[in-house]
Amino acid sequence: MGVSEQSPLIGGSNGHRDDHEELHRHLSLFDLVCIGVGATVGSGVFVLIGLIAHTSAGPAVFLSWGIAGIAALASGLCYAELGGRFPEAGSSYLYAKETMGELASVIAAACLTLEYTGSASAVARSWGDKVVEYIRSRNSESFLISILDPGLGINPCAFVVSLGSVLLLLEGVKESKSVTNFFSSLNVSLVMFMAVMSIILAKKENLTPLIPPEFGAAGILRGATSSFFGYIGFDEICCVSGEAKNPSKNVPRAIILTLIIVTSLYISASLGLAGMVPYEEISETSGFPNGFRYVGHRWAADITAVGELAVLPLVVLVTIMAQPRLCYAMSVDGLLPQIFTEMDSSGNLREGILLAFTMTDVSVILVRQASPTDVSCYPLTNKVVAFNILSFVTGLLLRSFYSHDATARWRRANNRSETERMLSMH
């Protein structure tokens, strides 16, 4: 199924596929895992753990993360299979195109663009707010506050972190890969420090009762619904699979390893925080720094606060990194101008990177400035649940309706892979 062989969006066709430059395969298994972890571990551990523990699940917050982790792993296994079968740039866009046609792939690409630009802008603005908050906590009269927080919804720090990420990506794939690997390792080390330190300081009485009566089992499930958003990001491994070495094996391995690492970090950190501080006293916005201050370990709070400022920009970098690869895949298929397939001498998709930067900065302006704490979250939760149910039912209907066409596409993909394998042997 497809919109047309000659795409009405650009006037191109699938014939463009033979005219583009191929992406250089340079990402190892370790690089892919670092990209997955870097795109996933962010506000989930720094904000969501405390929020869910205080408002939804209490000491049983680790159960919420465990349930969400199982759901994420089920989704990740689907990505792993598709990523191994179609080892090219594009992620969900490519998979939708190969199984359901061009119309579905355009919708998937629009959703991915919303995910990448929305999450990058939200993290960039959050980072800017945290920088201002940190400076204000040290010196409320500092002249930097008037510069970094001029009001009127302007957030200079968000622009700076977006610009820095883009400049690094334009510098070259080798440089951006090295920085991603370093800060992903730093990120994991920081979360491990937070988890181990909080578990050491945990008290048994803070975990009793494990499930507070005011929350009950329903609170754990509500917490799991919110926790799932902390796992979003591992799919970026699939978006850069066009640059992966031995992608048929390394992409599935990287997805599974990423989810195992992230789930272990989330569960251990949430267990430690709930054991260190009574759930009624856990901060909804700054769980670990305030938690360490609560038990009298200000030095640990300072390490956590500074570490958070150091590693959050990684999420912006990795998220912006994915958007040019999506534009590249769409350009190869004639859905975007061929300029998005052009690479410079360093192998960078410069036009795609600059487009991602522009979209991220525009989205920063649209990000909500303040959390509506006086508004109930239940309508949003209900809409999310309804959306997932409708998505599942729609998927089943499409699966049955296009089963013959999808099977033919799978067979063609298998035959193509088998032919390429036989040719490589000769």
Side-chain angles (χ1 to χ4, degrees):
M1 185 195 79
V3 175
S4 67
E5 190 69 20
Q6 185 81 7
S7 172
L9 299 180
I10 295 298
S13 70
N14 291 338
H16 288 151
R17 183 167 289 277
D18 298 328
D19 303 329
H20 68 278
E21 297 181 70
E22 291 287 346
L23 294 171
H24 174 56
R25 294 193 178 275
H26 60 94
L27 296 175
S28 65
L29 176 60
F30 178 73
D31 298 328
L32 293 172
V33 172
C34 285
I35 289 174
V37 172
T40 307
V41 179
S43 59
V45 70
F46 297 118
V47 178
L48 279 180
I49 289 179
L51 177 64
I52 295 170
H54 185 81
T55 62
S56 299
V61 59
F62 68 95
L63 295 178
S64 295
W65 284 100
I67 294 172
I70 294 173
L73 182 59
S75 177
L77 290 175
C78 298
Y79 274 95
E81 180 178 350
L82 291 168
R85 189 176 291 271
F86 303 110
E88 299 294 337
S91 187
S92 300
Y93 160 77
L94 174 64
Y95 310 148
K97 178 176 70 69
E98 292 292 340
T99 56
M100 290 183 286
E102 192 174 82
L103 177 60
S105 69
V106 171
I107 296 174
C111 293
L112 285 175
T113 299
L114 179 63
E115 174 191 341
Y116 296 151
T117 57
S119 59
S121 59
V123 174
R125 188 171 189 96
S126 174
W127 183 80
D129 292 339
K130 288 180 181 297
V131 169
V132 174
E133 181 182 349
Y134 181 78
I135 295 175
R136 184 176 283 118
S137 67
R138 294 291 176 176
N139 184 4
S140 60
E141 303 298 328
S142 175
F143 73 96
L144 288 175
I145 295 178
S146 60
I147 298 175
L148 301 179
D149 188 19
L152 301 177
I154 300 174
N155 195 318
C157 289
F159 173 80
V160 170
V161 72
S162 301
L163 178 62
S165 299
V166 167
L167 292 177
L168 182 59
L169 290 171
L170 292 175
E171 195 63 29
V173 291
K174 182 178 179 181
E175 290 76 7
S176 57
K177 180 175 68 175
S178 300
V179 171
T180 300
N181 292 350
F182 171 77
F183 278 98
S184 287
S185 302
L186 180 64
N187 197 359
V188 171
S189 300
L190 175 64
V191 178
M192 289 180 63
F193 165 79
M194 293 159 51
V196 172
M197 190 67 188
S198 58
I199 290 175
I200 292 174
L201 297 172
K203 297 180 180 179
K204 184 178 180 180
E205 53 267 28
N206 290 335
L207 297 174
T208 304
L210 183 63
I211 304 177
E214 64 267 32
F215 296 144
I220 296 176
L221 295 178
R222 285 197 302 271
T225 302
S226 302
S227 300
F228 187 80
F229 291 99
Y231 288 94
I232 293 177
F234 68 86
D235 59 298
E236 293 194 22
I237 295 173
C238 298
C239 209
V240 299
S241 61
E243 296 160 90
K245 299 176 182 177
N246 194 11
S248 296
K249 292 184 178 180
N250 284 342
V251 169
R253 290 172 179 172
I255 292 173
I256 294 172
L257 285 174
T258 295
L259 287 172
I260 291 174
I261 292 171
V262 170
T263 302
S264 301
L265 291 175
Y266 281 152
I267 291 177
S268 57
S270 57
L271 179 61
L273 180 61
M276 181 175 63
V277 183
Y279 71 92
E280 303 95 334
E281 304 296 332
I282 295 178
S283 170
E284 296 183 28
T285 58
S286 187
F288 280 94
N290 287 358
F292 286 127
R293 292 190 190 98
Y294 180 86
V295 295
H297 288 71
R298 188 174 183 84
W299 62 273
D302 291 338
I303 291 176
T304 304
V306 173
E308 183 178 355
L309 294 179
V311 300
L312 270 184
L314 173 65
V315 181
V316 182
L317 171 66
V318 177
T319 307
I320 293 179
M321 180 192 300
Q323 183 64 41
R325 276 70 183 174
L326 175 61
C327 293
Y328 170 87
M330 296 183 69
S331 180
V332 166
D333 293 327
L335 295 173
L336 287 177
Q338 288 294 295
I339 191 174
F340 290 105
T341 63
E342 297 175 2
M343 288 177 275
D344 60 16
S345 57
S346 300
N348 295 318
L349 300 164
R350 300 185 73 91
E351 284 71 19
I353 293 172
L354 294 175
L355 175 65
F357 169 64
T358 302
M359 294 174 67
T360 299
D361 278 357
V362 170
S363 299
V364 166
I365 302 174
L366 304 177
V367 173
R368 186 175 57 211
Q369 298 180 36
S371 176
T373 54
D374 57 334
V375 179
S376 173
C377 65
Y378 290 113
L380 176 61
T381 303
N382 294 337
K383 287 181 174 63
V384 171
V385 173
F387 172 79
N388 281 280
I389 293 174
L390 289 174
S391 297
F392 180 74
V393 173
T394 303
L396 290 178
L397 292 175
L398 288 174
R399 169 73 169 79
S400 60
F401 187 78
Y402 297 115
S403 59
H404 176 74
D405 186 44
T407 302
R409 292 176 183 273
W410 283 93
R411 287 175 177 170
R412 286 199 297 270
N414 284 331
N415 292 337
R416 185 167 60 249
S417 299
E418 183 66 20
T419 302
E420 292 175 353
R421 187 181 69 83
M422 295 297 293
L423 290 175
S424 64
M425 292 175 62
H426 294 286

